[in-house]
Each structure stands twice: as C-alpha cells, then as structure tokens.
C-alpha cells in the first residue's frame, strides 16, 4: 500500500507561482497525478505523469502554466504552478495508481490519495 502526503500549498497573488510536493511511502513507479476540488464543485483532473516520468499530460485549463515532474529516488512528485489565477483556488490532491494505467484521468483509476493541500489565489 502507498501513502501520499502533499505539502506546499498556501496563499499567493494572481500571476504568482507555487510548487506542491507529494511524498510517497511506497513504490513510486506507478502513474501519479494531481487533482483539485473547489468548494461546491466536483474533483477534477489536473495533470498526470507516468511511472518513469517520461510521459506527462495536462487538463486544458492548466496547460502551459503547470508542470508535473517526479524524482523517484526521493519518492516525490511535484506540481509547479506558474501564472496562477483565482480560478486555480482549490484543494489539491496527489494520487497514484496500483499499477500501470495509460494516461489515467478519472478518480476511479487512482487507488491512493493524499489528504490534500489548500491553494488560494487572490486577485
């Protein structure tokens, strides 16, 4: 079983940057991703990365602004967020799959979840 812990959330002004980290207690060779959930809204897919880090993919809403990466030696996945907008405000969750799944983008495809970290972007 894999346990995930996110960190790095906080308050930032629009146009600013923030980097989130997700540390895994188990193996980090599975696909990993980030989701976010704003109050009153459904949890939505943000970005994902393959087990080895060679493939990444993004939701259209963050493409060109966010970058996902991983350092398997440190058992850590990162989410670099640039040019932040107020609509990026949400609780961000790190997630991982049990095994290889090609480009998973739905909650049901991810078996492991972190507790979330709050990101607030002010205007």
């Amino acid at each position: 079983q894999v346990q995930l812990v996110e960190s790095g959330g906080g308050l930032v002004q629009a146009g600013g940057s923030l980097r989130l980290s997700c540390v895994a207690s188990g193996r980090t060779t599975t696909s990993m991703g980030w989701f976010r959930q704003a109050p009153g809204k459904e949890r939505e897919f943000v970005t994902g990365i393959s087990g080895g880090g060679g493939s990444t993919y993004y939701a259209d809403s963050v493409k060109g602004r966010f970058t996902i990466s991983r350092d398997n030696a440190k058992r850590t996945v990162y989410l670099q967020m640039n040019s932040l907008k107020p609509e990026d405000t949400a609780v961000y969750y790190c997630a991982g799959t049990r095994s290889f799944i090609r480009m998973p983008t739905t909650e049901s495809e991810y078996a492991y979840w972190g507790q979330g970290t709050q990101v607030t972007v002010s205007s």
Side-chain angles (χ1 to χ4, degrees), residues 90-103:
V91 176
Y92 283 71
Y93 297 90
C94 178
T97 62
R98 291 184 187 277
S99 59
F100 173 76
I101 299 177
R102 188 175 185 180
M103 298 177 64

Side-chain angles (χ1 to χ4, degrees), residues 32-117:
M32 300 290 293
W34 290 92
F35 286 73
R36 66 185 182 185
Q37 186 169 26
K41 296 185 177 180
E42 296 182 354
R43 190 171 300 183
E44 65 173 340
F45 169 79
V46 177
T47 179
I49 188 168
S50 61
S55 298
T56 60
Y57 47 102
Y58 302 85
D60 289 341
S61 60
V62 305
K63 196 172 299 182
R65 299 188 299 118
F66 290 11
T67 302
I68 187 172
S69 62
R70 67 190 299 166
D71 186 337
N72 287 342
K74 296 181 179 179
R75 299 184 178 185
T76 303
V77 178
Y78 304 96
L79 179 61
Q80 178 66 47
M81 304 183 291
N82 298 325
S83 301
L84 283 163
K85 305 174 181 179
E87 49 263 46
D88 294 319
T89 295
V91 176
Y92 283 71
Y93 297 90
C94 178
T97 62
R98 291 184 187 277
S99 59
F100 173 76
I101 299 177
R102 188 175 185 180
M103 298 177 64
T105 60
T106 64
E107 292 184 57
S108 63
E109 293 175 304
Y110 288 86
Y112 308 109
W113 294 84
Q115 294 183 344
T117 184

